Amino acid sequence: MPLIPEEPQIHESAQGPRPTPASGRTAPTPRPVPGPRPAAPPRPGRPGPLRPTPPAQRTPRDVAAAKPEPSAPAAPAAAPAAPQIQLIPASVEGALDAAEEAVDLLLDSGRAPGEVLVITTGEQHPWATHELSFGETSYWAQHDAKDDVFYADASAAGRAGARQVVVVALNGGSDEVAAATLPLALGRAGALLIVCGDPQRINSVLGAGV
């Protein structure tokens, strides 16, 4: 009897034919490709490898942009504000009393006594006469201390320093003295100049601007 070849048995573990490499060895199972490895940390005591950094290429446009731009010129400082001018009409005989009332109002409004200077064009203020009796050194020491209202006549006004408020009493003296005293007092006043006197005389000496 002819022999009937037996049917080949298929094992469950078989997954189909596997390609056989030309070398006759079984192909290894492919593994996932790992990403780039980080550089190994330097060992203690040994610095890591130094890699030179190539110099950056600079174009002419980059060179032009790197140049510092000229700074804008500084704005000029603002000029100090001119002091206000207040005119109190008074006769020659009443100019000193008007100046005293003006000083009282200034102190009542909160002005410190050391901020006020009173200048007389005629007879000296009684306070100045009294203080000068102790000598000019003591008199001007009180001026420098700026602890109180200071009184000076027109001849000594040039030595007096600037104060926030200057009060001028036109209680006498010539027009030349008044013409020299009022601009000086305006230059000494930081915020306010008060002139006590005859308005017509003041306007004739300095003009209607005062």
Side-chain angles (χ1 to χ4, degrees):
M1 291 181 64
L3 296 177
I4 300 175
E6 296 179 1
E7 295 182 0
Q9 296 181 359
I10 300 175
H11 299 280
E12 294 181 358
S13 60
Q15 301 296 329
R18 295 183 181 179
T20 304
S23 60
R25 297 180 180 180
T26 305
T29 303
R31 298 179 180 179
V33 180
R37 291 186 177 183
R43 297 181 180 179
R46 297 184 60 186
L50 299 179
R51 297 182 180 179
T53 302
Q57 298 293 333
R58 303 186 69 183
T59 62
R61 181 178 300 179
D62 296 334
V63 175
K67 293 183 179 180
E69 298 182 358
S71 57
Q84 297 181 354
I85 300 176
Q86 182 179 351
L87 175 61
I88 299 178
S91 63
V92 174
E93 294 77 12
L96 192 56
D97 292 338
E100 288 283 11
E101 292 179 3
V103 171
D104 291 340
L105 290 175
L106 289 169
L107 299 181
D108 291 342
S109 65
R111 283 284 179 184
E115 295 181 336
V116 182
L117 169 66
V118 179
I119 300 174
T120 58
T121 59
E123 185 179 357
Q124 283 185 344
H125 190 277
W127 182 91
T129 302
H130 177 266
E131 295 300 326
L132 282 170
S133 64
F134 298 101
E136 289 195 3
T137 301
S138 174
Y139 172 73
W140 288 107
Q142 297 189 53
H143 166 270
D144 297 338
K146 294 183 179 181
D147 293 334
D148 203 350
V149 180
F150 190 78
Y151 297 84
D153 63 7
S155 62
R159 186 175 173 180
R163 296 206 177 186
Q164 284 297 305
V165 182
V166 178
V167 181
V168 178
L170 297 177
N171 61 335
S174 63
D175 290 344
E176 289 76 12
V177 172
T181 302
L182 291 180
L184 177 63
L186 182 61
R188 296 292 190 273
L192 177 63
L193 171 64
I194 301 175
V195 183
C196 304
D198 183 2
Q200 293 183 356
R201 184 187 181 196
I202 296 172
N203 292 334
S204 65
V205 172
L206 294 181
V210 179

